[in-house]
Amino acid sequence: MNRLKKLFESQENICSVYYTAGYPTVNDTMPVLEALQEGGADLVEIGMPFSDPLADGPTIQASSEQALDNGMSIQLLFEQLETMRESITIPVVLMGYFNPVFKFGVEKFIGKCQEIGVDGVIIPDLPFDEYRELYENLFNEAGIANIFLITPQTSDERIRLIDAHSTGFIYVVSSASVTGAKQNVQQNQIDYFNRVNSLGLQRPRLIGFGIGNRDTFATACQHAAGAIIGSAFVKLLGEHGADKQQIKAFINTIKN
Amino acid sequence: MSKQSKYQADEKGMYGRFGGAYIPEMLYPNIENLKKVYKEIIDSPAFQQEYKALLKDYVGRPSPLYLAKRLSDKYQTNVYLKREDLNHTGAHKINNTVGQILIAKHMGKQRIIAETGAGQHGVATATACALMGLQCVVYMGEVDIKRQAPNVARMKMLGAEVKAATSGSKTLKDATNEALRDWICNPEDTFYLIGSVVGPHPYPDMVARLQAVISEEIKLQISEKTSKDYPDYVIACVGGGSNAAGSFYHFLDDEKVKLVAVEASGMGVDSGETAATIALGDMGIIHGSKTFLMQSEDGQITEPYSISAGLDYPGIGPQHAHLFDTGRAQFLSATDKEALDAALQLTQLEGIIPALESAHALAALNKMQFQKDEAVVITLSGRGDKDMATYMERFGF
Ligand SMILES: Cc1ncc(COP(=O)(O)O)c(C=O)c1O
């Protein structure tokens, strides 16, 4: 969590990248993470693949399916990331659906995150109320940030409540949509970002969903601490594999 | 029915340790909104009047409670069949779709989406949409579209758009994922019309209320036909569990009535080719609800198998998980073979060709002991027309 805190205190235009663990081949998890850090990503979200990713579009669905076929699991992910802090200094967040985490055991999961130096967790289908009742203390004691999503349909009141219980950053879903890259940012999205910014929230925000090129990234950065690139990067991995040069070039075009 | 029943959902949609709404934030406003209005709408005189009128004149209710004499002789008891197979479109599914379509209309929604496996719920939804003049999109797994061509044609003839779910295993669970994704992308004008007592709260409770007419009628009909005002047993098949939930609803707090749910065990509970969710008994979260489901060691949801497409769901409604947990209902399972035998037996003893799903409930007769004077109600959830290809293949007719 300190890594997240430091990042948001010290930097603007944060480039956060999502990718699916164990994709395109099972042992690509660490090489991709290292290449992202070298290439200049400021924050990384590693997706834990799930059989039924209901908030994801076709690209991340396909990567999840491939990763599961490759034998990816939470257990294996923790093994792959066991010694990541020997080389990785940027914040790392795990993102995935609740069922595999529930099956693994939430307490054990958070314990593992703490042990290997994961900074935060995003579980889109873990209900806010259940988190507060059952898990908030657990996360706080372990120093693991739980990152919530907000959408254009989320009320101001609920955004404030989410802000009050957030410890890392707030994930601003850019439109009513599943994941997947879009060509541009529309005016109604800008209005929504402005609405969120006018609330005087305590936590920084990253904008995600539909951000996948230099233009959308730059626009998002004008309205938040930075943005999250998912499907566009996963697509690149699908086409080129865990190729260091390609990954560096990708980050470079997004950021500069 | 007392509102405090320990078998009904609490304010958070929990049935004991099951249920709830495990949904991403994108769906939260929709679910909250529905949660706020559904009870009020269902309880309103305007809704009740319209709903009852449609059930009577359009669906053809009340459905008969038929004393199956030759079947009763064979099992030395009194077997009553609750004839949901005689409903318009051939199954209990229509009770739910005409109810939800009215709720959607009350909420001012223009576009209806639904998931379907075998196509029965898709047809019932397309029917209700045609009736109300609403746009209808039905998601169906690519594999199921190939297997269930006649129902695909029916939906299209009714004016629905049938969209293929091409992700994952390309069956019911993936169709449900696609419908949820559609809802995420169209949160304002679209109503998601779920086909069983599954999904996030308030769906399990809402669908159970709309199917509760089944037990409401059984209660009345049994007191007309017998000297008691309750049956000794109510038996129903369970996929997601809507016909069972409706058959049990008004008897939940009357513990004299023994409730029996029959799952599909496919090739056998331990064969790996099964849909007997409760029998496998693993807890988790599927499609927004905490319940029993079929999953791998790593929490990946696995593909169920049953000869009956309508029972081929890897989860079960949270209320049923709770009825199992509390021991209020007994859970049995029937294999493909047992269901086929039961279907043939009913056809030849009573002249009624049942849906394969319903045949699983009938198979319970061979697994239980009854007294001569007991009243055993079996819900015949649907008719067998849609299953003729399977019957032809299996029986060689
Ligand atoms: C005739 C019939 N019975 C039963 C079912 C299973 O659904 P449920 O368990 O919700 O009643 C179906 C589903 O398609 C069906 O068509």
Side-chain angles (χ1 to χ4, degrees), chain B residues 84-85 90-93 116-122 151 172 195-198 207 211 236-246 262 308-313 316 320 354-359 379-384 386-387:
Chain B
E84 295 300 303
D85 60 317
H92 67 293
K93 297 278 176 190
T116 197
Q120 288 304 105
H121 173 59
N151 272 343
L172 177 59
S196 192
V197 286
V198 300
V207 176
Q211 291 290 1
C237 68
V238 185
S242 66
N243 88 87
V262 188
S308 133
L311 303 182
D312 216 347
Y313 183 69
I316 187 166
H320 292 296
L356 263 168
E357 292 80 9
S358 321
T379 298
L380 204 64
S381 57
R383 66 177 87 124
K386 69 182 178 61
D387 297 312

Side-chain angles (χ1 to χ4, degrees), chain B residues 106-129:
Chain B
H106 276 261
M107 294 176 76
K109 302 287 183 173
Q110 301 300 319
R111 180 173 174 270
I112 305 296
I113 55 172
E115 82 296 338
T116 197
Q120 288 304 105
H121 173 59
V123 167
T125 304
T127 299
C129 288

Side-chain angles (χ1 to χ4, degrees), chain A residues 96-116:
Chain A
Y97 293 84
F98 191 37
N99 193 56
V101 175
F102 181 75
K103 178 82 176 160
F104 188 85
V106 180
E107 220 162 306
K108 186 173 144 203
F109 178 82
I110 292 302
K112 269 304 213 187
C113 285
Q114 185 180 18
E115 199 182 302
I116 64 174

Side-chain angles (χ1 to χ4, degrees), chain B residues 296-312:
Chain B
S296 70
E297 294 267 291
D298 303 319
Q300 307 299 339
I301 294 169
T302 54
E303 227 358 63
Y305 163 79
S306 162
I307 192 170
S308 133
L311 303 182
D312 216 347

Side-chain angles (χ1 to χ4, degrees), chain A residues 51 53 99 130 133 158, chain B residues 12 22 25 181 282 285 300:
Chain A
S51 54
N99 193 56
E130 177 148 330
E133 265 168 46
R158 186 165 167 85
Chain B
K12 289 181 178 162
Y22 294 82
E25 188 64 27
R181 288 179 190 124
D282 204 355
I285 290 110
Q300 307 299 339

